Amino acid sequence: LIPCRIFAQAKYMGIDVIEKSHGLYEVELSGKQKAEKTLTQTSNIVSKEKLLLTTDTIVADIGKTFGVEFIVKTANDVILPLKCVWEFPKPMKNPYTGKIYKVSEMDQTILSNQPDFHSYTLEYDYEFVEGLWGFRIYYQDVEIYRHYFRVILPL
């Protein structure tokens, strides 16, 4: 068995990522934005999130949202360019574009020392891929945080 509750926190150039929570969330959306480096070609803009259940095991279902709340700590408040990456257990094909993805990437600019949230919402059945999904945060191409979720198919 591979444990799912694996997360890494590393200090890099005085940056420390603190996980506040992880699991299943209820989210309110204020819209969508184009995101070409993602499987669905879009990214939800989350205006509010609420943790429903702390878990690393996700039963795939349309509309299910899982993710991580975190704080990127630095000595002073600074604006940081980050890359957030969802790594899939196997390549997935978007049937509408024909493109195949092993990861979905989002560039994100954050203010350090403030709560932040990143999640994945299963919106299409072609996203129902069993296995370990990795969520990683990079700063200047160095991984500064990692968390794994096990996605399983419903019975």
Side-chain angles (χ1 to χ4, degrees):
L1 291 176
I2 298 172
C4 292
R5 186 146 170 57
I6 301 170
F7 65 91
Q9 292 170 287
K11 284 194 174 187
Y12 172 72
M13 295 180 55
I15 297 171
D16 193 16
V17 179
I18 308 298
E19 180 183 291
K20 290 181 59 185
S21 64
H22 70 274
L24 287 173
Y25 289 83
E26 179 180 297
V27 294
E28 289 181 21
L29 304 180
S30 59
K32 285 186 178 274
Q33 62 187 4
K34 189 173 176 92
E36 292 183 10
K37 295 181 185 176
T38 66
L39 175 67
T40 61
Q41 304 289 288
T42 63
S43 175
N44 291 329
I45 301 169
V46 176
S47 56
K48 187 176 179 185
E49 72 276 347
K50 177 184 174 187
L51 180 66
L52 299 176
L53 178 66
T54 299
T55 184
D56 298 297
T57 302
I58 310 302
V59 180
D61 195 13
I62 297 290
K64 194 157 285 185
T65 299
F66 55 101
V68 178
E69 290 179 273
F70 57 92
I71 297 175
V72 179
K73 291 278 197 183
T74 56
N76 300 306
D77 294 351
V78 294
I79 295 172
L80 294 172
L82 302 178
K83 179 168 46 173
C84 296
V85 177
W86 284 94
E87 183 178 75
F88 309 128
K90 66 179 185 181
M92 285 194 260
K93 182 178 182 178
N94 180 320
Y96 304 107
T97 66
K99 292 183 181 178
I100 297 172
Y101 292 83
K102 178 71 176 134
V103 299
S104 279
E105 297 182 13
M106 280 286 303
D107 292 322
Q108 183 176 352
T109 302
I110 64 138
L111 178 61
S112 67
N113 303 316
Q114 300 296 314
D116 213 323
F117 174 70
H118 202 88
S119 63
Y120 196 100
T121 300
L122 299 169
E123 296 178 298
Y124 305 97
D125 58 3
Y126 66 81
E127 297 173 288
F128 292 8
V129 175
E130 272 192 305
L132 278 184
W133 288 50
F135 171 64
R136 300 169 190 258
I137 301 173
Y138 293 87
Y139 174 69
Q140 295 182 343
D141 294 324
V142 174
E143 181 183 301
I144 58 172
Y145 176 83
R146 174 186 337 149
H147 190 102
Y148 288 101
F149 294 92
R150 179 171 296 286
V151 174
I152 60 175
L153 299 180
L155 297 176

